[in-house]
Amino acid sequence: MSPADDDGRTYASGEGLVEFLDLMRLMRERCVWKSSQTHASLAQYLREESDEVLEAISEEDPEHLKEELGDLLLQVYFHAAIAEEAGEFTMDDVIAGLTEKMKRRNPHVFGPEAESGRRYTLEEVERLWSAAKAAEKGRPGSN
């Protein structure tokens, strides 16, 4: 059961993410089909699952969206497990990279701009995001 906040909303504890990583490793070890997969052989499934997430969003069906997000997350874990086995990177590396990227691209939340307590407009946030991404990529106005 997920913990709840003061308003009764639930939030993820993250325990299931670690459990699933162990499950993915075990499946790669014990299942001939899963262990034979590569980044390239899985590419079609990544595309299919992404399309199914978009379909569930357009249907505005939370249960369908939950299922399809799980299928998409499976693909992320699958690719991370393959990379881990090859000594390229781990799921921890993926998460650390994403965490750092979000901190860089959201200075209104994590940077000196956040300390002012000022609420930024949607347009200002989009400009900050674009500027941060462009600086990372070395090109102007990138999304």
Side-chain angles (χ1 to χ4, degrees):
M1 179 114 199
S2 297
D5 66 11
D6 292 339
D7 294 330
R9 292 177 294 198
T10 59
Y11 58 93
S13 67
E15 292 173 19
L17 298 171
V18 173
E19 180 181 358
F20 191 75
L21 185 55
D22 290 339
L23 184 78
M24 190 73 239
R25 289 178 182 132
L26 188 62
M27 288 189 296
R28 288 275 297 169
E29 180 183 312
R30 295 184 180 175
C31 174
V32 66
W33 186 86
K34 287 176 182 60
S35 65
S36 69
Q37 298 306 302
T38 65
H39 294 301
S41 69
L42 290 172
Q44 67 180 0
Y45 304 112
L46 181 59
R47 183 177 292 113
E48 288 171 12
E49 297 304 346
S50 296
D51 288 343
E52 290 173 9
V53 167
L54 295 172
E55 179 182 310
I57 290 170
S58 70
E59 292 172 356
E60 298 182 10
D61 180 346
E63 285 300 312
H64 187 200
L65 180 59
K66 178 175 68 175
E67 176 187 350
E68 297 304 339
L69 286 172
D71 292 346
L72 184 59
L73 189 58
L74 167 64
Q75 295 302 310
V76 172
Y77 272 76
F78 217 145
H79 285 276
I82 291 168
E84 181 179 74
E85 290 166 11
E88 298 166 340
F89 58 84
T90 68
M91 190 65 172
D92 287 343
D93 297 327
V94 172
I95 293 167
L98 179 59
T99 298
E100 286 308 308
K101 181 189 290 186
M102 290 301 99
K103 288 178 180 178
R104 285 191 312 271
R105 291 190 184 177
N106 291 278
H108 62 291
V109 177
F110 301 106
E113 294 89 342
E115 295 173 16
S116 71
R118 169 167 132 19
R119 298 282 300 176
Y120 287 77
T121 66
L122 180 59
E123 293 79 16
E124 289 172 317
V125 170
E126 288 172 349
R127 275 195 302 275
L128 285 168
W129 177 275
S130 291
K133 185 168 182 180
E136 286 173 19
K137 305 291 182 184
R139 58 183 184 248
S142 180
N143 282 338

